[in-house]
Amino acid sequence: MIEPLRKSTREEREQWLKEAHYNVFQLRSEQVYIDLLTDSGTGAMSDRQWSQLMLGDESYAGATSFYNFEGVVKKLFNFKYVIPTHQGRAAENVLFSYLVKEGNVIPGNAHFDTTKGHIESRKAHAIDVTTDEAKNTQLEVPFKGNVSIEKLTKVLEDNKGNVPFMVLTVTNNTVGGQPVSMKNIEETCALCHKYGVPVVMDSARFAENAYFIKTRELGYADKSIKEITAEMFSHVDGMTMSAKKDGLVNMGGFIATNNEDWYQGAKLFCIPFEGYVTYGGMNGRDLNALAAGLDENTEFDMLETRIHQVAYLAKKLDEYGIPYQRPAGGHAIFVDADKVLDQVPIEEFPAQTLTCELYLEAGIRACEIGYMLADRDPETRENRFGGLDLLRLCIPRRVYTDNHMDVIAAALKNVYDRRHEITRGVAIEWEAPLMRHFRAHAPLIKKRDRMGL
Ligand code: F0G
């Protein structure tokens, strides 16, 4: 499918951004030239997937589409029980409704924001146990998404009897689409199991993770992506999946496990929240398209083409000297906004400021994965400034050409070249009590020497 892109003028963008309260989530898509907000649900489906839509069975219960989808999930991940949900956070909602109790502690390698939201809204605690290597954006190590075994041991030791499960996210989105090695998956699961703690894999980008294992980890070069996938999941007790990423569909998700108790418990919540257990919020035709997508995206060529495009953009940024989380991630480049806008104080959110600047420059919509998204501590209400402050340039699957990558890099270079003029950031005028980044009103702080404002 082809759609026209519309260019806009700087004056138009200034007006639109103002109307959107300086929050790019509130822009209309037609106000965007190149959309790098997310790789979630924004990919293009293949001819095989489109043809599967025609064969969708929309029976309320026991549809052939469900069994088609279930068969692919069972084969790829080796789990007996499969529950479809309408997206990843719905899978979290259903499973966590059964597993999470007030006061619980749930360690993870940088929980995604909805995952953290589902934990914190149940008055439980999400504790980050990502390796410290991830905090140094300029360090080139192959598996920056890894769990720190030392940090995890401490959490498990200090909270015995109060950890219902651990969340292992592949790839680790929040620190830059960075992969987790097979060795680390194995060690993390062995450690959790020693403490009697099961592991749930947050699997949104599992195939990209498998690609990095194949291309970077000793002993995996000759294994297929499907073999690596099976090995990754053989260590964990269950999975939640946002199928909008590595499932190559616009909407969809699921839970899978071998744990019968979890399956029975989750089913209780699936029916009222999502729908009957053989459709769980999805159409039959979409279950069919997802089955085809999972099969396609666990082929090496597909993953190589995609990840090379991300690496191509990274190479351009290297040419221009723009710092980002190294090495390039699977689904996105995460620009180190703190280092680019080093004159903007952290209290004025450099990455959010850079998001606005890039949009004003060229109509490119990126996404802040930084202090705005880190939100406030649910108890103290303090801003969490401790982590990384990144601008995510997220590349949709099978949508843009390398020519678009050139435009993105050139636009960012233009902002980079005038970075010394940008000394003030944004000020939050209004925010929601939870997950503020989606709806916050955070205007750019006016300064006389800011270009055009
Ligand atoms: N887990 C991870 C690692 C994710 O990246 C996401 C979504 C989810 C869970 C939730 O899945 O959106 O289907 O409900 N990430 C998107 C993103 C939104 O832009 O990174 P969902």
Side-chain angles (χ1 to χ4, degrees):
M1 295 287 167
I2 300 294
E3 60 180 287
L5 296 181
R6 187 183 173 275
K7 282 190 188 160
S8 51
T9 63
R10 174 141 188 144
E11 290 66 38
E12 282 175 321
R13 293 193 292 276
E14 277 171 13
Q15 182 61 26
W16 292 334
L17 192 62
K18 192 169 164 211
E19 284 164 10
H21 303 288
Y22 296 87
N23 185 330
V24 293
F25 280 97
Q26 299 193 29
L27 290 168
R28 290 169 178 239
S29 66
E30 70 257 30
Q31 296 167 340
V32 174
Y33 181 43
I34 299 179
D35 204 346
L36 308 181
L37 187 65
T38 179
D39 63 331
S40 183
T42 53
M45 291 204 295
S46 68
D47 50 355
R48 283 177 58 207
Q49 288 182 285
W50 280 104
S51 69
Q52 280 299 317
L53 293 179
M54 292 299 179
L55 301 172
D57 174 357
E58 307 302 341
S59 306
Y60 189 93
T64 53
S65 302
F66 170 75
Y67 291 109
N68 178 28
F69 151 78
E70 189 197 37
V72 172
V73 172
K74 283 182 169 175
K75 199 163 145 207
L76 273 178
F77 305 105
N78 261 313
F79 287 127
K80 262 196 282 202
Y81 306 114
V82 184
I83 301 178
T85 60
H86 80 273
Q87 63 182 96
R89 68 200 67 185
E92 292 162 1
N93 190 28
V94 167
L95 187 63
F96 293 7
S97 290
Y98 182 59
L99 295 181
V100 180
K101 305 279 176 292
E102 185 172 339
N104 280 166
V105 166
I106 294 145
N109 52 336
H111 312 70
F112 182 66
D113 56 340
T114 60
T115 321
K116 192 191 266 177
H118 278 303
I119 292 169
E120 292 181 346
S121 64
R122 289 174 172 82
K123 298 193 163 51
H125 309 280
I127 301 188
D128 182 21
V129 292
T130 308
T131 167
D132 282 336
E133 287 175 336
K135 287 194 189 149
N136 178 354
T137 58
Q138 299 314 293
L139 189 70
E140 289 263 0
V141 292
F143 292 102
K144 257 184 174 175
N146 276 355
V147 170
S148 154
I149 297 297
E150 199 184 321
K151 289 188 201 173
L152 178 62
T153 308
K154 183 161 176 5
V155 175
L156 295 173
E157 196 54 45
D158 292 351
N159 296 282
K160 280 186 186 153
N162 194 28
V163 183
F165 58 93
M166 185 253 175
V167 183
L168 183 54
T169 304
V170 293
T171 56
N172 187 328
N173 180 8
T174 312
V175 304
Q178 297 291 324
V180 180
S181 71
M182 190 72 86
K183 182 163 175 278
N184 191 253
I185 293 174
E186 207 175 328
E187 284 176 4
T188 298
C189 294
L191 178 65
C192 284
H193 292 155
K194 196 175 105 190
Y195 282 84
V197 171
V199 180
V200 173
M201 201 172 261
D202 178 348
S203 320
R205 300 178 184 85
F206 75 93
E208 289 171 6
N209 202 88
Y211 172 89
F212 285 121
I213 289 177
K214 182 176 168 75
T215 52
R216 292 183 184 170
E217 194 164 350
L218 202 66
Y220 289 91
D222 296 330
K223 294 212 158 107
S224 71
I225 297 295
K226 287 189 168 66
E227 284 167 337
I228 295 170
T229 300
E231 187 176 332
M232 281 165 59
F233 285 87
S234 70
H235 297 292
V236 300
D237 302 85
M239 66 190 288
T240 52
M241 174 77 185
S242 167
K244 302 171 68 168
K245 287 88 170 169
D246 274 350
L248 299 178
V249 289
N250 304 118
M251 195 57 74
F254 59 90
I255 300 165
T257 181
N258 281 330
N259 184 324
E260 189 175 356
D261 175 58
W262 286 9
Y263 177 56
Q264 297 302 344
K267 276 203 292 191
L268 294 175
F269 292 96
C270 180
I271 295 172
F273 289 170
E274 291 292 293
Y276 185 61
V277 293
T278 60
Y279 72 88
M282 288 184 72
N283 297 310
R285 54 181 174 271
D286 291 338
L287 285 168
N288 266 359
L290 172 54
L294 285 169
D295 185 49
E296 270 173 26
N297 205 27
T298 44
E299 288 299 326
F300 182 74
D301 289 351
M302 160 70 211
L303 289 160
E304 184 160 69
T305 308
R306 165 178 183 50
I307 291 173
H308 270 198
Q309 190 172 48
V310 178
Y312 175 86
L313 176 58
K315 214 167 120 239
K316 283 268 154 198
L317 300 195
D318 284 341
E319 266 172 44
Y320 302 145
I322 301 171
Y324 58 88
Q325 173 70 297
R326 307 185 74 88
H331 65 299
I333 299 296
F334 287 61
V335 177
D336 194 340
D338 251 353
K339 288 203 169 63
V340 174
L341 299 187
D342 58 0
Q343 304 196 39
V344 173
I346 56 171
E347 296 77 16
E348 294 178 12
F349 301 94
Q352 184 64 20
T353 310
L354 192 55
T355 310
C356 292
E357 290 290 347
L358 183 62
Y359 176 72
L360 291 172
E361 177 67 31
I364 296 169
R365 173 159 68 170
C367 174
E368 194 252 21
I369 304 270
Y371 302 141
M372 188 69 87
L373 177 126
D375 224 324
R376 292 175 186 273
D377 183 293
E379 273 146 36
T380 65
R381 303 304 298 156
E382 292 294 315
N383 278 304
R384 295 191 265 212
F385 286 129
L388 294 170
D389 198 34
L390 304 167
L391 168 84
R392 185 177 74 168
L393 305 169
C394 204
I395 313 299
R397 292 168 186 77
R398 309 193 284 207
V399 170
Y400 292 120
T401 64
D402 288 355
N403 200 8
H404 293 100
M405 301 301 123
D406 292 341
V407 174
I408 297 159
L412 201 58
K413 178 184 186 298
N414 290 348
V415 178
Y416 187 66
D417 287 348
R418 58 176 173 80
R419 64 192 180 280
H420 301 303
E421 294 162 16
I422 304 169
T423 55
R424 300 300 306 266
V426 302
I428 299 181
E429 250 177 28
W430 176 85
E431 65 185 83
L434 198 67
M435 293 193 215
R436 65 178 177 192
H437 59 289
F438 286 122
R439 293 187 295 140
H441 299 178
L444 286 161
I445 298 167
K446 287 208 173 127
K447 187 165 186 291
R448 236 172 304 157
D449 62 359
R450 183 189 282 289
M451 307 262 294
L453 281 171

